[in-house]
Amino acid sequence: MKYAYFPGCSLKGTGKAYEESLLPVMKHLGVEMQELDDWNCCGATAYMAVDEGKACAAAARNLAIAEKSGLQQVLAPCSACYLVLNKTQHYLHEYPGMRQTVARALETVGLRCEGTSAVRHPLDILLNDIGLEAVKQKVTRPLKGLKVAPYYGCQIVRPYATFDDQTNPTTMDRLLEALGATVVKWPLKTKCCGGSLTGTLPEAGLRLSYILLKEAIKRGADVIATVCPLCQFNLDAYHPKISARWEPVPIPTVYFSQLMGLAFGLPDNQVVLHRGMIPMKPLAAPAPAAAAAR
Amino acid sequence: MSAKKEELRIGFYVCHCGHNIASMVDCVAVARSVEKLPGVALARDYKYMCSDPGQVLIQQDIREHKLNRIVVASCSPLLHEHTFRGATEAGGLNPFYFHMVNIREHDSWVHTDRQEATEKAKALAEAAIRRVAHHKALEIKKVPIHPDVLVVGGGIAGIHAAMTLANAGKKVYLVEREPSIGGHMAKFDKTFPTLDCAACILTPKMSEVGSHPNITLWTYSDVTKVDGYVGNYTVQVKRKARYIIEDLCTGCQDCIPNCVFKEPKFTDDFNEGLGKRKPVYIPFPQATPQVVVIDPEVCLNFKRGKNPDGSPIVSDKCKKTCVEACGEKNAIDFTQKDELKEIKVGNIIVCTGFKTFDAGRVPAYGYGTYKNVYTSLEIERLVNASGPTGGEVILREGKNPDGSPKTPKSIGIIHCVGSRDKKTNIWCSRVCCMYSMKLAHLLKEHTDAELYNFYIDMRTPGKGYEEFYNKLLEEGTHFIRGRVGEVTDWAMTPEEEGKLVIRVEDTLAGVVRRIPVDMVVLATGLEPQADAGDVRRLFNMSCGGDGWFLERHPKLAPVNTFTDGVFLAGCCQGPKDIPDTVAQAGAAAAEAMVLIDRGYVEQEPNTAFILDQECSGCKSCIPLCPYTAILFDEERKKAYINEALCKGCGTCVGACPSSSIVQNLFEDSEIFSEIEGVLSYD
Amino acid sequence: MDIKRTIKYEADRVSGFGREVMAVPGCEALEHCIQCGTCSGVCPLSIYMDYTPRQVMELVRSDFKNEVLQSHTIWLCASCYACTTECPRQIRITDIMYELKQRAIKEKVYPKRFPIPVLAEEFTKMVHDYGRISETWLVSKMYLRTNPVAALGMAGLGMNLMKTGRFSLKQDKIERRSELARIMESVDQQNQKAQA
Amino acid sequence: MTKPWTPRIVAFFCNWCTYTAADLAGVSRLKYASNVRVIRLMCSGRVDPQFILDALARGADGVLIGGCHPGDCHYVEGNYKMLRRFELLKRMLVDFGIEPQRVRLEWISAAEGEKVKTVINEMTQQLQALGPLGMPQKFTAWDQELEHLAQAVQARDAAAGPCPTHAAPSPTPEVVHV
């Protein structure tokens, strides 16, 4: 299995723990990921607010590069990138005017975007291409006793994802269970973390992150697992501000890929738990048999 | 034929239909243009051709101007062809010397350019003029009507239709899928807006049906096959094995307490899963017929798999205490098999009803996730004195400190669940506003709880309905205009702890609110039965895009279908309340009686026949006929058509390689001249 | 007591504004709005808005352009798409919000020193100049343009990021920057042509 | 009057589904192109391929056939019979040099007034793009060509003088119709 890999800006910046943990996990599962040649920023949500034509063209450049590379499946781990690339595909299919504008713009640099590539999320690939059975086979240190609140955030399931339910997604739940973790049921799975409002309008934005952290603790979670660099940033890096404004809500937020690395028994520098501000409670010692297997 | 010698004298009439046609088509210009065509003796335009004077005009012209063909350009032939054929006949001509041009539905109503619409009308008129020249005198066939009627579905619609017919002396077969008739109405506690008890008004009618000499009641039965046509339907009914001999069961129900299962432990569908029943059960106390049923899926006597024919294998594991209790009545028969019955009827009334929307399809409202979220039908059973709790409203989850079940102190009723939503059902289900208010009233009466109704628009169009709304306002029920965003169980404030929280925009106040409640009721909408598609095919009806059965005309033929002799009543045609359902059932019964009392139906003489000398005997046509109306004379090596079986589709005519089959009313020459006519414009 | 007249005259409407917005790709379904309020009911930020999302929809449809473009609502939308998913008329409310943001930026009618549009602008500029985003730089620029004092309050956050190795002042860029620039230019030209 | 050219469509609609749907389109006041002329038949199964050829030969630019959805035919399966004929006919039309888009078979149920409108508008647009078929004009042109040809041959024969036995073998035709 080989995928074109679109990391996006966050995975090279504040969200580097996502990339640092996802790449080894995928490699461990025998998945090849080839970083897209000279990719550019997808445009995220901010660009849409300025000019949707340019936003689509910028995103389409990436899709065009992917098509040129011959890899039809584009793996976009960041939720915003996943949404924007998907949205671009939809716009190009649904609106002939937009398709024309973008095609002409790409033509000036000799690129073509036919809209044939599929934009995929790692969760989609893990469950539907690789399969939970293959994942389970790689688990050497089951996350026994670890209570995880799966947090999907908004943009991977809404509004374009087809691989999971938009209101009550379960792909990460099933993945975490395969890793041996206990999944905490909570109704905030897909609630907004505040997005970029945590920086621009902290009173409104941070409150949403605060509610998530508070409710996860209340439901007995040890850790929150996320799929989005912005969610992780908001729930992790803003802890001091949230404690100062409301109350301390000390619960770590990690990427699901970090928990996978942990369960696969990958070395610490591939699990990169040290990137989080709130330390994760150490796991129970591995069962002797499992330890021997390692 | 002598008609060939006769000079063609066509009378042409173009109808203004008030402004309906005249505003988009220049009727005078059309008449003037047609006037010049060969064979046309006169061309007139007139305000309303279908009116009495319009018809009289045709009759007079036939006599005074010796017309021998009539063409009317007006509305759709499906609406008024019959009218004008009548006028033609009254004028002394064979009615099939008439042809109709549709310049309203197919022209003036769908186009926006007057000139183009006028040109189109001229071309269509010319086609008809050319066509009618080829028309022949035909005779209408009269086919006798079988006087018996089949009513499918035993809800209030089917009950009322069957009773109406039976009281008029007609023989009725009432077929119901469930073990008892009564339908959804039997589950209701009270009915809006009068709040009379549903059981009190329904059960007398049910038992009347059960005992009426003119009604053959077959419950626990499915219609499996329908053949024939208006007046002469042959229907196959499968009577599912209920393992009880209906004639022998007295309804004493002694078997039920004596079942080897001491406690009821199987899901009770009649109580919407809120109660339990045994393998041998009667759906509800007033069930009609008063005959028990044995559920082979759970009865110990059948726990041995299936026979090759699909029937369950009877085992000897069970002590059969039920049989003992039944004693010498001997009504229990474990070897009973499904039985196929064949009946002949002349008319069919379809009253197959609706199903309620599956609330789990709106995950944001938490049905299935939070136990204290209920559907409206569950609440109907919960407030019902003969329901699973004896009419006590208690929560599924949560106990009082003393361990007793909790009653809700605050209740939110969410309207329009599954309705008015493009993701689920786009239609308004019509009854939910009213039944939600009814439930609000009943819940208030039972619990004295704080009640909130969340609605998008309040729809109370009915006699006494708005007054009922007023009554609820007086009772202090809160009405919040806003579609609920979500129901969750996470608390932001101390008073929200342990409650279900409804988040909604109070659109009239213009604020977003969070309202904690103990119980949420989802006013689920109505949707077509899951097997409506199969039923539709069975009876050769049409469905609208939304899945409801389609009436022949939304205003003028609301209980007719496109198939003669098949009528509709009740919610299978679309959501409606009980008064409307009953009115429709009466109307359908009356429509059936029209046919029965007339005694015959007239059949379009559009059957096909074979020109003997032309037939090459290739047999291409024979397998094409779905009615096996085409036979082959082996001796003469010629095909021939049994006119009685021919339905007039013309498929064989279109396929005959030697053009030796002719369809009356749709002869090749008629259609070719029509093609020529419609292409006669520039 | 301060009192304020809230009446709207027909002259307050910018005739054709609603139609114009509804003609934009993604915004067509607005004409089917039944004002049920589901959008506001699910919106996590509706509680801070001057107009609820539902009211914005109606204001757009009724041509109240100035009210809409000057509202806080459009800037408070965090693009979580909850409204779009739940709307019973499948109106893409989030996309309509984007469209309104674009118009407000073009007409420069947002509040002064309001960080959100500034962030959007800086973001766009950075993509234009470098092809990629360096979050730390981006945020710093935004604070400098809107509220330099608050930037000081963010120092702690920066320290924490540095501690966990997530703070970088390196500006990431793509190789073929001219290629991206040409694409953008072409879109601009096409847009200008379309407007002309 | 120089009206811009618009395509002419002859439509054969079955009485039970598509004709009723067209009535519904009318009752719903949907608007569609005015260049379609509907001929009512009891069933799409009645459509003889000759009707289609005749319509094209007499100047139609396109032919539309409307029947009930598969499984919904009022006469059980007349629509299937039509479908089979239609597929064969389309192949033949291609051989004649007639674009297959000029004939169209659509399943339109009695409830689908909207579909009547979209199909007619769509087809009008497609035919507009294809341009006129102009069979009657072609027939005239072909007749003229043949006449010219015959005259030329006669003239040559006359010039060559009387033939002792047979006429000279016919020359290679100058015009080949595709």
Side-chain angles (χ1 to χ4, degrees), chain A residues 197-221:
Chain A
L197 290 180
T198 49
T200 49
L201 269 181
E203 176 62 25
L206 286 180
R207 184 173 161 277
L208 298 181
S209 286
Y210 160 65
I211 291 170
L212 288 167
L213 295 167
K214 184 182 85 149
E215 200 62 26
I217 294 175
K218 197 169 159 192
R219 308 234 171 194

mmCIF file of all heavy atoms in Angstrom, chain A residues 197-221:
data_model
loop_
_atom_site.group_PDB
_atom_site.id
_atom_site.type_symbol
_atom_site.label_atom_id
_atom_site.label_comp_id
_atom_site.label_asym_id
_atom_site.label_seq_id
_atom_site.Cartn_x
_atom_site.Cartn_y
_atom_site.Cartn_z
ATOM 1 N N LEU A 197 -10.214 30.544 17.247
ATOM 2 C CA LEU A 197 -10.750 31.558 18.154
ATOM 3 C C LEU A 197 -10.040 31.548 19.500
ATOM 4 O O LEU A 197 -10.076 32.526 20.232
ATOM 5 C CB LEU A 197 -12.254 31.333 18.383
ATOM 6 C CG LEU A 197 -13.186 31.605 17.212
ATOM 7 C CD1 LEU A 197 -14.625 31.336 17.613
ATOM 8 C CD2 LEU A 197 -13.039 33.036 16.723
ATOM 9 N N THR A 198 -9.393 30.423 19.853
ATOM 10 C CA THR A 198 -8.670 30.381 21.124
ATOM 11 C C THR A 198 -7.620 31.476 21.150
ATOM 12 O O THR A 198 -7.314 32.025 22.205
ATOM 13 C CB THR A 198 -7.973 29.024 21.300
ATOM 14 O OG1 THR A 198 -7.261 28.727 20.103
ATOM 15 C CG2 THR A 198 -8.968 27.920 21.583
ATOM 16 N N GLY A 199 -7.059 31.818 19.989
ATOM 17 C CA GLY A 199 -6.068 32.873 19.922
ATOM 18 C C GLY A 199 -6.700 34.225 19.674
ATOM 19 O O GLY A 199 -6.303 35.219 20.267
ATOM 20 N N THR A 200 -7.710 34.265 18.823
ATOM 21 C CA THR A 200 -8.252 35.557 18.422
ATOM 22 C C THR A 200 -9.321 36.081 19.379
ATOM 23 O O THR A 200 -9.454 37.276 19.569
ATOM 24 C CB THR A 200 -8.857 35.463 17.015
ATOM 25 O OG1 THR A 200 -9.712 34.327 16.964
ATOM 26 C CG2 THR A 200 -7.768 35.295 15.976
ATOM 27 N N LEU A 201 -10.104 35.184 19.947
ATOM 28 C CA LEU A 201 -11.145 35.591 20.899
ATOM 29 C C LEU A 201 -11.134 34.600 22.064
ATOM 30 O O LEU A 201 -12.043 33.778 22.179
ATOM 31 C CB LEU A 201 -12.513 35.558 20.235
ATOM 32 C CG LEU A 201 -13.046 36.796 19.554
ATOM 33 C CD1 LEU A 201 -14.425 36.522 18.986
ATOM 34 C CD2 LEU A 201 -13.115 37.981 20.508
ATOM 35 N N PRO A 202 -10.120 34.678 22.911
ATOM 36 C CA PRO A 202 -9.898 33.633 23.916
ATOM 37 C C PRO A 202 -11.119 33.371 24.813
ATOM 38 O O PRO A 202 -11.412 32.217 25.128
ATOM 39 C CB PRO A 202 -8.738 34.165 24.748
ATOM 40 C CG PRO A 202 -8.124 35.259 23.953
ATOM 41 C CD PRO A 202 -9.131 35.747 22.980
ATOM 42 N N GLU A 203 -11.861 34.407 25.161
ATOM 43 C CA GLU A 203 -12.980 34.211 26.086
ATOM 44 C C GLU A 203 -13.960 33.187 25.495
ATOM 45 O O GLU A 203 -14.427 32.291 26.186
ATOM 46 C CB GLU A 203 -13.675 35.549 26.347
ATOM 47 C CG GLU A 203 -14.914 35.483 27.213
ATOM 48 C CD GLU A 203 -14.639 34.965 28.622
ATOM 49 O OE1 GLU A 203 -13.493 35.096 29.095
ATOM 50 O OE2 GLU A 203 -15.570 34.403 29.241
ATOM 51 N N ALA A 204 -14.246 33.326 24.208
ATOM 52 C CA ALA A 204 -15.173 32.398 23.567
ATOM 53 C C ALA A 204 -14.495 31.084 23.193
ATOM 54 O O ALA A 204 -15.000 30.000 23.455
ATOM 55 C CB ALA A 204 -15.765 33.052 22.316
ATOM 56 N N GLY A 205 -13.306 31.217 22.606
ATOM 57 C CA GLY A 205 -12.640 30.027 22.074
ATOM 58 C C GLY A 205 -12.170 29.088 23.172
ATOM 59 O O GLY A 205 -12.435 27.881 23.142
ATOM 60 N N LEU A 206 -11.461 29.643 24.158
ATOM 61 C CA LEU A 206 -10.907 28.780 25.202
ATOM 62 C C LEU A 206 -11.993 28.102 26.031
ATOM 63 O O LEU A 206 -11.802 27.012 26.547
ATOM 64 C CB LEU A 206 -9.983 29.587 26.131
ATOM 65 C CG LEU A 206 -8.631 29.969 25.536
ATOM 66 C CD1 LEU A 206 -7.806 30.750 26.538
ATOM 67 C CD2 LEU A 206 -7.862 28.717 25.111
ATOM 68 N N ARG A 207 -13.144 28.761 26.145
ATOM 69 C CA ARG A 207 -14.223 28.163 26.927
ATOM 70 C C ARG A 207 -14.620 26.810 26.338
ATOM 71 O O ARG A 207 -14.927 25.871 27.062
ATOM 72 C CB ARG A 207 -15.426 29.107 26.955
ATOM 73 C CG ARG A 207 -16.558 28.607 27.823
ATOM 74 C CD ARG A 207 -17.654 29.659 27.958
ATOM 75 N NE ARG A 207 -18.892 29.028 28.404
ATOM 76 C CZ ARG A 207 -19.735 28.431 27.597
ATOM 77 N NH1 ARG A 207 -19.485 28.357 26.306
ATOM 78 N NH2 ARG A 207 -20.848 27.888 28.088
ATOM 79 N N LEU A 208 -14.605 26.731 25.013
ATOM 80 C CA LEU A 208 -14.990 25.471 24.383
ATOM 81 C C LEU A 208 -13.971 24.388 24.706
ATOM 82 O O LEU A 208 -14.327 23.237 24.992
ATOM 83 C CB LEU A 208 -15.123 25.654 22.876
ATOM 84 C CG LEU A 208 -16.201 26.638 22.433
ATOM 85 C CD1 LEU A 208 -16.247 26.705 20.910
ATOM 86 C CD2 LEU A 208 -17.567 26.233 22.975
ATOM 87 N N SER A 209 -12.680 24.747 24.695
ATOM 88 C CA SER A 209 -11.649 23.782 25.057
ATOM 89 C C SER A 209 -11.815 23.384 26.524
ATOM 90 O O SER A 209 -11.690 22.211 26.887
ATOM 91 C CB SER A 209 -10.260 24.377 24.846
ATOM 92 O OG SER A 209 -9.974 24.444 23.478
ATOM 93 N N TYR A 210 -12.107 24.372 27.347
ATOM 94 C CA TYR A 210 -12.294 24.107 28.778
ATOM 95 C C TYR A 210 -13.419 23.094 29.005
ATOM 96 O O TYR A 210 -13.270 22.130 29.761
ATOM 97 C CB TYR A 210 -12.573 25.434 29.507
ATOM 98 C CG TYR A 210 -13.237 25.270 30.846
ATOM 99 C CD1 TYR A 210 -12.577 24.626 31.905
ATOM 100 C CD2 TYR A 210 -14.536 25.748 31.085
ATOM 101 C CE1 TYR A 210 -13.189 24.465 33.138
ATOM 102 C CE2 TYR A 210 -15.147 25.591 32.302
ATOM 103 C CZ TYR A 210 -14.485 24.946 33.321
ATOM 104 O OH TYR A 210 -15.099 24.768 34.535
ATOM 105 N N ILE A 211 -14.530 23.285 28.313
ATOM 106 C CA ILE A 211 -15.664 22.362 28.486
ATOM 107 C C ILE A 211 -15.251 20.943 28.129
ATOM 108 O O ILE A 211 -15.566 19.984 28.839
ATOM 109 C CB ILE A 211 -16.856 22.814 27.608
ATOM 110 C CG1 ILE A 211 -17.448 24.108 28.147
ATOM 111 C CG2 ILE A 211 -17.923 21.721 27.546
ATOM 112 C CD1 ILE A 211 -18.467 24.754 27.223
ATOM 113 N N LEU A 212 -14.496 20.806 27.048
ATOM 114 C CA LEU A 212 -14.059 19.477 26.613
ATOM 115 C C LEU A 212 -13.190 18.821 27.677
ATOM 116 O O LEU A 212 -13.389 17.657 28.049
ATOM 117 C CB LEU A 212 -13.271 19.587 25.301
ATOM 118 C CG LEU A 212 -14.088 19.918 24.051
ATOM 119 C CD1 LEU A 212 -13.165 20.317 22.910
ATOM 120 C CD2 LEU A 212 -14.941 18.722 23.650
ATOM 121 N N LEU A 213 -12.213 19.574 28.189
ATOM 122 C CA LEU A 213 -11.285 19.021 29.175
ATOM 123 C C LEU A 213 -12.050 18.645 30.453
ATOM 124 O O LEU A 213 -11.883 17.566 31.015
ATOM 125 C CB LEU A 213 -10.189 20.044 29.493
ATOM 126 C CG LEU A 213 -9.254 20.376 28.305
ATOM 127 C CD1 LEU A 213 -8.427 21.613 28.600
ATOM 128 C CD2 LEU A 213 -8.352 19.187 28.003
ATOM 129 N N LYS A 214 -12.908 19.549 30.894
ATOM 130 C CA LYS A 214 -13.665 19.331 32.128
ATOM 131 C C LYS A 214 -14.523 18.081 32.014
ATOM 132 O O LYS A 214 -14.537 17.228 32.905
ATOM 133 C CB LYS A 214 -14.550 20.556 32.385
ATOM 134 C CG LYS A 214 -15.316 20.489 33.688
ATOM 135 C CD LYS A 214 -16.195 21.708 33.852
ATOM 136 C CE LYS A 214 -17.507 21.494 33.134
ATOM 137 N NZ LYS A 214 -18.659 22.159 33.705
ATOM 138 N N GLU A 215 -15.227 17.972 30.881
ATOM 139 C CA GLU A 215 -16.155 16.855 30.727
ATOM 140 C C GLU A 215 -15.401 15.528 30.596
ATOM 141 O O GLU A 215 -15.854 14.505 31.099
ATOM 142 C CB GLU A 215 -17.048 17.100 29.506
ATOM 143 C CG GLU A 215 -18.343 16.307 29.482
ATOM 144 C CD GLU A 215 -19.293 16.596 30.634
ATOM 145 O OE1 GLU A 215 -19.257 17.702 31.223
ATOM 146 O OE2 GLU A 215 -20.077 15.673 30.983
ATOM 147 N N ALA A 216 -14.229 15.553 29.961
ATOM 148 C CA ALA A 216 -13.441 14.328 29.820
ATOM 149 C C ALA A 216 -13.002 13.843 31.205
ATOM 150 O O ALA A 216 -13.077 12.647 31.515
ATOM 151 C CB ALA A 216 -12.230 14.566 28.927
ATOM 152 N N ILE A 217 -12.560 14.774 32.035
ATOM 153 C CA ILE A 217 -12.140 14.407 33.395
ATOM 154 C C ILE A 217 -13.335 13.873 34.177
ATOM 155 O O ILE A 217 -13.281 12.828 34.835
ATOM 156 C CB ILE A 217 -11.524 15.628 34.122
ATOM 157 C CG1 ILE A 217 -10.216 16.024 33.430
ATOM 158 C CG2 ILE A 217 -11.292 15.330 35.595
ATOM 159 C CD1 ILE A 217 -9.579 17.280 33.971
ATOM 160 N N LYS A 218 -14.480 14.568 34.026
ATOM 161 C CA LYS A 218 -15.682 14.186 34.757
ATOM 162 C C LYS A 218 -16.111 12.758 34.404
ATOM 163 O O LYS A 218 -16.638 12.028 35.236
ATOM 164 C CB LYS A 218 -16.798 15.158 34.400
ATOM 165 C CG LYS A 218 -17.959 15.159 35.353
ATOM 166 C CD LYS A 218 -18.839 16.338 35.048
ATOM 167 C CE LYS A 218 -20.230 16.122 35.596
ATOM 168 N NZ LYS A 218 -21.150 17.124 35.075
ATOM 169 N N ARG A 219 -15.898 12.368 33.162
ATOM 170 C CA ARG A 219 -16.314 11.025 32.731
ATOM 171 C C ARG A 219 -15.221 9.988 32.972
ATOM 172 O O ARG A 219 -15.315 8.871 32.491
ATOM 173 C CB ARG A 219 -16.677 11.035 31.254
ATOM 174 C CG ARG A 219 -17.676 12.134 30.943
ATOM 175 C CD ARG A 219 -18.893 11.648 30.245
ATOM 176 N NE ARG A 219 -19.866 12.749 30.201
ATOM 177 C CZ ARG A 219 -21.136 12.599 29.890
ATOM 178 N NH1 ARG A 219 -21.613 11.425 29.606
ATOM 179 N NH2 ARG A 219 -21.954 13.639 29.894
ATOM 180 N N GLY A 220 -14.162 10.416 33.687
ATOM 181 C CA GLY A 220 -13.167 9.440 34.138
ATOM 182 C C GLY A 220 -12.081 9.119 33.144
ATOM 183 O O GLY A 220 -11.401 8.095 33.275
ATOM 184 N N ALA A 221 -11.874 9.969 32.152
ATOM 185 C CA ALA A 221 -10.840 9.673 31.158
ATOM 186 C C ALA A 221 -9.457 9.978 31.725
ATOM 187 O O ALA A 221 -9.280 10.905 32.518
ATOM 188 C CB ALA A 221 -11.090 10.486 29.897
#
